[in-house]
């Protein structure tokens, strides 16, 4: 322990009633001289100042207190809900997203702000929602802690992180700029294209998916010529989402040249080997049918308008293999172009579909399909996975009834029960528990009981946050 000057220790031993301490010989005499009040308290404060200097070799200075944190008028998070959040964070529960969504109108109490900020430093998945929960007080505290300053979103108008920050901070700033001004973000990336590593280019180009528009076309065309396969792959994923681009026009022309349609008869005229332009556009050398499907998946769906007639989908006289390939390509195109009409037409025609395609189908059309489906067909886990919460009770009950009464694989039971547990209305918990009690299969009993527990927990979470 650092020894204090004799003038302080003597005054302390004699007592301030009998001896007045002298501060003039202290290293911190200036700060100590400003102290006032009770002599004993003044002596202790002076000792603390001098000890700080002797330990850290730093002269204490008087600083103004910062302005207090702004007010946050949102209701305070109830205590039970705060404890629930701690428990969910401890196990990285899949219910966290739902918890944060329901709690969006609330703020954390001041006594748990620091705890939530500590969690946010290591939980990148929920970081932004944790910061939002801590509110104005959390942002105020984080701004004054060197290790927490990066938790706050950077200022998109201050490009310092982009020029001097580490990769993670540069990426964060670029994300914020992209949300604030997509065109400016594209221009910024284009200006520093050569300064980025291949991995950084691929990562930053992928962020253009947010706010994607015509302002991105030139940079994405540039990315097609990049030496990195990963960069080219990201560009090839984004360009088909721009139906009015030069890339879309090139794909449209190829589809028209390679798929010769005469009424309902189709003749393939795909070249044996794609030319350099086609290779640049991602159409790799391979079987003619695969080459055609890749072009169809990347071309605007409007290319088929002249072949639709009175229906919604083209009807061609082709073999089953080509029909399946075209269906797959049309589905991929519908997802890329977010064409709900085309996705719904595929569902109506085929009665099923990939989850990614079903997510593009309007909710009311998907619900109608499930309500009219046969008991076995209602257990289509790809379609059910595309139906977001909350599920209507009648649809949830149809699924549960079919699940319990039809012979199904354990995998399907597990997948569908997981969806029920996270999306069904809360009142279905009793039916799930009853189903668990009625089965003799111990494995399925556990699945039903676990789903009932999850549904009950979700109900409790909503009650705690109400």
């Amino acid at each position: 322990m650092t020894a204090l000057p004799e003038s302080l220790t003597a005054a302390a031993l004699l007592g301030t009633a009998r001896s007045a301490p002298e501060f003039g010989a202290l290293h911190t005499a200036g700060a100590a001289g400003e102290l006032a009040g009770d002599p004993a308290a003044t002596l202790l404060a002076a000792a603390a100042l001098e000890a700080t200097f002797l330990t850290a070799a730093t002269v204490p200075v008087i600083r103004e207190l910062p302005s207090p944190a702004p007010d946050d008028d949102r209701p305070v998070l109830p205590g039970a809900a705060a404890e629930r959040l701690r428990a969910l964070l401890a196990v990285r529960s899949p219910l966290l997203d739902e918890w944060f969504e329901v709690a969006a109108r609330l703020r954390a109490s001041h006594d748990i702000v620091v705890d939530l900020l500590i969690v946010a430093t290591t939980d990148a998945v929920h970081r932004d929602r944790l910061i939002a929960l801590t509110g104005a007080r959390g942002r105020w505290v984080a701004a004054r802690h060197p290790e927490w300053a990066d938790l706050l979103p950077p200022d998109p108008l201050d490009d310092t992180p982009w020029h001097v920050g580490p990769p993670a901070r540069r990426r964060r700033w670029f994300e914020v700029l992209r949300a604030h001004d997509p065109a400016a973000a594209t221009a910024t990336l284009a200006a520093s294209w050569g300064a980025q590593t291949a991995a950084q280019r691929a990562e930053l180009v992928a962020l253009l998916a947010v706010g994607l528009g015509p302002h991105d076309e030139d940079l994405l065309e540039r990315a097609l010529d990049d030496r990195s396969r990963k960069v080219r792959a990201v560009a090839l994923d984004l360009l088909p989402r721009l139906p009015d681009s030069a890339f879309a026009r090139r794909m449209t022309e190829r589809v028209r040249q390679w798929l010769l349609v005469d009424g309902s008869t189709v003749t393939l005229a795909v070249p044996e080997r794609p030319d350099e332009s086609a290779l640049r556009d991602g159409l790799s050398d391979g079987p003619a049918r695969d080459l055609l499907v890749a072009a169809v998946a990347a071309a605007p769906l409007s290319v088929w308008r002249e072949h639709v007639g009175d229906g919604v989908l083209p009807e061609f006289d082709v073999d089953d293999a080509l029909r399946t390939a075209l269906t797959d390509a049309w589905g991929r195109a519908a997802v890329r172009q977010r064409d709900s009409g085309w996705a719904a037409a595929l569902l109506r025609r085929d009665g099923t579909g990939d989850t990614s395609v079903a997510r593009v189908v309007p909710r009311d059309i998907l619900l109608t399909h499930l309500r009219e489906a046969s008991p076995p067909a209602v257990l289509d886990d790809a379609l059910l996975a595309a139906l977001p919460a909350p599920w209507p009770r009648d649809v949830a009950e149809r699924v549960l009834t079919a699940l319990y009464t039809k012979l199904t694989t354990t995998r399907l039971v597990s997948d569908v029960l997981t969806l029920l547990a996270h999306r069904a209305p809360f009142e279905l918990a009793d039916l799930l528990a009853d189903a668990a009690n009625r089965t003799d299969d111990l494995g399925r009993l556990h699945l039903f009981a676990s789903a009932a527990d999850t549904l009950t927990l979700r109900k409790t979470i909503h009650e705690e946050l109400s």
Side-chain angles (χ1 to χ4, degrees):
M1 179 176 178
T2 302
L4 291 171
E6 185 177 347
S7 61
L8 294 183
T9 56
L13 291 172
L14 293 173
T16 54
R18 301 173 57 190
S19 174
E22 293 290 338
F23 298 151
L26 302 180
H27 297 90
T28 57
E34 298 290 331
L35 298 172
D38 179 72
T42 300
L43 174 61
L44 292 175
L49 287 169
E50 187 69 6
T52 300
F53 170 79
L54 293 174
T55 302
T58 299
V59 177
V61 295
I62 298 174
R63 297 186 183 275
E64 293 184 7
L65 290 175
S67 300
D71 293 333
D72 191 334
D73 295 332
R74 294 179 298 169
V76 177
L77 186 69
E83 290 304 313
R84 181 72 60 192
L85 175 60
R86 290 181 189 273
L88 296 177
L89 287 169
V91 297
R92 295 293 189 267
S93 170
L95 295 178
L96 276 167
D97 286 339
E98 183 174 1
W99 190 97
F100 280 115
E101 183 178 344
V102 180
R105 63 184 181 84
L106 304 172
R107 68 166 176 85
S109 59
H110 297 329
D111 60 309
I112 65 170
V113 163
V114 170
D115 291 342
L116 295 180
L117 291 176
I118 292 173
V119 174
T121 61
T122 58
D123 190 345
V125 174
H126 302 105
R127 179 172 299 156
D128 290 342
R129 285 178 158 179
L130 284 165
I131 298 301
L133 182 64
T134 63
R137 176 63 65 94
R139 293 189 295 273
W140 185 90
V141 172
R144 284 155 182 80
H145 193 301
E147 295 181 7
W148 294 347
D150 287 346
L151 295 177
L152 302 178
D155 180 359
L157 302 181
D158 179 5
D159 61 358
T160 302
W162 178 253
H163 294 294
V164 300
R169 191 174 302 172
R170 296 174 72 247
R171 183 186 189 279
R172 185 103 189 276
W173 180 84
F174 187 81
E175 282 183 294
V176 173
L177 178 63
R178 183 66 180 182
H180 174 73
D181 188 341
T186 302
T188 298
L189 178 55
S192 62
W193 186 257
Q196 314 294 331
T197 66
Q200 290 170 344
R201 289 197 300 273
E203 183 180 48
L204 294 170
V205 170
L207 297 178
L208 301 184
V210 176
L212 186 68
H215 48 269
D216 299 310
E217 183 178 353
D218 289 344
L219 183 58
L220 292 175
E221 285 283 349
R222 183 178 180 182
L224 284 183
D225 297 317
D226 199 271
R227 289 174 297 177
S228 168
R229 179 181 57 82
K230 291 183 178 179
V231 175
R232 297 195 303 271
V234 176
L236 288 169
D237 179 58
L238 295 179
L239 276 169
R241 307 184 198 184
L242 299 175
D244 298 322
S245 64
F247 177 88
R249 291 191 292 273
R250 295 195 297 270
M251 287 300 182
T252 296
E253 184 61 26
R254 292 184 182 107
V255 170
R256 287 173 174 164
Q257 290 179 353
W258 298 350
L259 194 70
L260 306 179
V261 181
D262 182 12
S264 63
T265 303
V266 175
T267 303
L268 295 184
V270 181
E272 292 185 3
R273 187 180 186 280
D275 57 23
E276 291 301 319
S277 174
L279 290 172
R280 176 179 181 269
D281 286 342
L283 301 178
S284 57
D285 195 3
R289 182 167 295 172
D290 293 348
L291 199 61
L292 173 67
V293 168
V296 169
L301 289 167
S302 58
V303 69
W304 305 101
R305 188 174 296 122
E306 59 190 276
H307 304 298
V308 169
D310 296 331
V312 178
L313 299 176
E315 289 295 336
F316 298 137
D317 184 13
V318 294
D319 60 61
D320 290 342
L322 181 56
R323 186 182 303 278
T324 300
L326 284 173
T327 296
D328 176 63
W330 286 336
R332 287 159 56 191
V335 172
R336 284 170 166 172
Q337 299 166 41
R338 309 304 298 172
D339 193 315
S340 59
W342 201 278
L346 288 170
L347 175 62
R348 290 191 184 100
R349 189 192 73 178
D350 301 332
T352 186
D354 183 80
T355 298
S356 59
V357 179
R359 286 197 176 105
V360 185
V361 176
R363 179 182 174 86
D364 59 334
I365 294 177
L366 186 55
L367 284 173
T368 298
H369 175 82
L370 291 171
R371 285 178 173 128
E372 296 175 352
S374 64
V378 81
L379 295 179
D380 189 327
D381 54 341
L383 297 185
L384 292 175
L387 182 63
W391 286 3
R393 177 170 181 136
D394 64 315
V395 171
E397 287 183 343
R398 286 201 78 213
V399 171
L400 178 57
T401 301
L403 196 63
Y404 186 76
T405 58
K406 301 298 176 183
L407 292 176
T408 53
T409 64
T410 300
R411 182 203 63 81
L412 181 62
V413 172
S414 176
D415 291 348
V416 174
L417 277 176
T418 299
L419 291 171
L420 274 171
H422 287 84
R423 304 184 186 184
F426 303 138
E427 56 267 27
L428 209 70
D430 290 341
L431 292 178
L432 280 168
D434 183 64
N437 294 329
R438 291 175 179 271
T439 179
D440 296 327
D441 187 315
L442 292 180
R444 297 198 177 193
L445 183 152
H446 172 74
L447 292 174
F448 277 103
S450 177
D453 290 343
T454 298
L455 200 52
T456 301
L457 175 56
R458 289 181 55 229
K459 179 182 179 181
T460 302
I461 287 173
H462 282 251
E463 291 174 345
E464 291 171 345
L465 291 169
S466 62

